Amino acid sequence: MNFAIIGVGGYIAPRHLEAIKELGHQLVAAYDHNDSVGIMDRYFPDCQFFTDFERFESFIDSKKGTSEEIQYVSICTPNYMHSSHIKFALSHGAHAICEKPLVLNEKDIDELATYEKKFDKKVYTVLQLRVHDAILALKKKIESEKKDSHEINLTYMTSRGQWYHESWKGDVRKSGGLSTNIGVHFFDMLTWIFGEPLSVDVSEKSATVEKGTLKLKNAHVSWSLTIDRSLLPAEAVKTGKTTFRSIKIDGSEFEFSEGFTELHKRVYGDILSGKGYGLEAARSAIRIVEQIRGMK
């Protein structure tokens, strides 16, 4: 398959490059307005690179009907750009593979569904926790127990420096806010396992911390998210870790700290074999973070 990538200079792009390369496919074109993209030499040194979107678009169109016609566009751009770049992919004859969060608002999902029908192309979202071995095993275990309600405590701490607040990630209009940035994949995982969201509440909200509760069909979730390094637990600081994850289910710690290295490759493998997750799979988590964003 022939791929193009938008946002190749971003933090998450190397995982996409690696997945495309290891699965034996070709990256034909890449775009980023920044030119610090030397990482491409490790994977696709012959890929055509553009810092001008109009030239990138013209190149994509010029490959139609050739052996380098683009079948998939991978999107690794800032959150607020996802919807427009997905539309670009579909309207130029390619399927879209988009990083989380797929979009910022639930209404965008409905709008993209009309684009899928109009151009007969698919939108795929990267929900990598759904292919994590430990989480797959947890889903199977929860389903076998057939318990009506579970108590869950979710804590996710990932250190970010002052740069975060100056970047697009610190701008709610562009990132969607803290929960959208660092929490959406956890909310997706929980709704996937414990059922649809019924209500969400926020008890604390600042530029560095968000806390609240979430009621799912089969669970009550207390959640806490932060990028404040000073809040890391002592055991994490002692071992030099800058990230701390904890999920307790009915009082028992659920361990899933390992096994993250191959997840994008699995996501791509599923998409290319026709089993990837599409627009509707993203809806519940997008609804949750959109509601959090609107709360004080």
Side-chain angles (χ1 to χ4, degrees):
M1 292 290 179
N2 293 324
F3 284 79
I5 187 169
I6 304 176
V8 72
Y11 164 78
I12 202 67
R15 300 187 192 181
H16 291 256
L17 295 174
E18 185 174 16
I20 295 167
K21 178 74 172 180
E22 291 194 3
L23 290 171
H25 302 289
Q26 180 65 31
L27 186 68
V28 176
Y31 165 81
D32 202 294
H33 72 276
N34 292 314
D35 58 11
S36 297
V37 293
I39 186 69
M40 289 175 59
D41 288 344
R42 187 185 305 174
Y43 300 103
F44 298 100
D46 297 323
C47 174
Q48 293 294 313
F49 172 67
F50 301 89
T51 57
D52 182 287
F53 198 84
E54 287 75 18
R55 290 182 60 231
F56 171 74
E57 179 178 19
S58 178
F59 181 82
I60 296 294
D61 288 339
S62 74
K63 295 301 177 181
K64 289 182 178 178
T66 75
S67 62
E68 291 187 315
E69 181 171 355
I70 306 300
Q71 283 97 28
Y72 291 87
V73 175
S74 299
I75 297 163
C76 305
T77 48
N79 302 348
Y80 71 103
M81 297 180 177
H82 287 178
S83 181
S84 62
H85 287 152
I86 290 170
K87 292 174 182 176
F88 168 85
L90 302 184
S91 63
H92 285 73
H95 305 293
I97 301 175
C98 187
E99 262 298 337
K100 64 86 183 168
L102 180 68
V103 288
L104 293 181
N105 303 296
E106 188 176 0
K107 65 179 178 59
D108 296 329
I109 295 175
D110 299 324
E111 187 176 2
L112 290 176
T114 65
Y115 270 70
E116 282 190 326
K117 292 178 182 177
K118 181 178 180 179
F119 296 103
D120 195 26
K121 296 297 176 183
K122 289 281 294 179
V123 178
Y124 296 99
T125 180
V126 177
L127 302 176
Q128 66 266 40
L129 292 186
R130 295 196 186 193
V131 298
H132 191 292
D133 287 336
I135 293 167
L136 287 166
L138 174 64
K139 180 175 172 64
K140 188 174 181 180
K141 176 178 179 290
I142 295 299
E143 289 175 346
S144 68
E145 290 176 352
K146 297 180 180 178
K147 187 177 176 181
D148 289 337
S149 185
H150 298 268
E151 281 294 326
I152 300 171
N153 288 278
L154 163 67
T155 301
Y156 181 50
M157 302 176 172
T158 181
S159 303
R160 297 289 186 270
Q162 191 271 342
W163 66 267
Y164 181 96
H165 305 286
E166 294 297 322
S167 74
W168 63 267
K169 293 185 177 185
D171 185 339
V172 158
R173 296 168 301 173
K174 294 181 177 181
S175 69
L178 190 63
S179 294
T180 307
N181 258 340
I182 70 170
V184 67
H185 52 306
F186 290 112
F187 292 133
D188 172 74
M189 178 193 77
L190 292 172
T191 57
W192 184 53
I193 296 174
F194 297 99
E196 63 189 68
L198 303 178
S199 64
V200 61
D201 289 297
V202 172
S203 58
E204 184 176 345
K205 193 175 184 183
S206 71
T208 58
V209 178
E210 290 188 0
K211 296 181 180 180
T213 58
L214 172 65
K215 178 66 176 175
L216 304 178
K217 182 180 179 182
N218 295 311
H220 179 270
V221 182
S222 297
W223 54 271
S224 176
L225 306 168
T226 184
I227 57 171
D228 188 342
R229 186 190 311 271
S230 68
L231 298 177
L232 284 167
E235 60 265 31
V237 175
K238 188 176 180 180
T239 56
K241 294 181 178 178
T242 59
T243 296
F244 175 78
R245 299 181 188 89
S246 174
I247 295 181
K248 291 182 179 178
I249 302 172
D250 299 324
S252 298
E253 188 75 35
F254 168 60
E255 173 58 43
F256 69 117
S257 58
E258 304 298 329
F260 284 86
T261 56
E262 294 289 309
L263 297 187
H264 275 72
K265 183 178 175 181
R266 292 186 183 184
V267 168
Y268 268 74
D270 286 347
I271 290 171
L272 294 170
S273 63
K275 298 183 293 184
Y277 289 105
L279 290 173
E280 284 305 313
R283 187 179 293 275
S284 291
I286 297 301
R287 180 181 299 163
I288 290 169
V289 294
E290 184 178 3
Q291 289 177 346
I292 292 171
R293 191 182 313 133
M295 293 178 176
K296 296 183 178 179

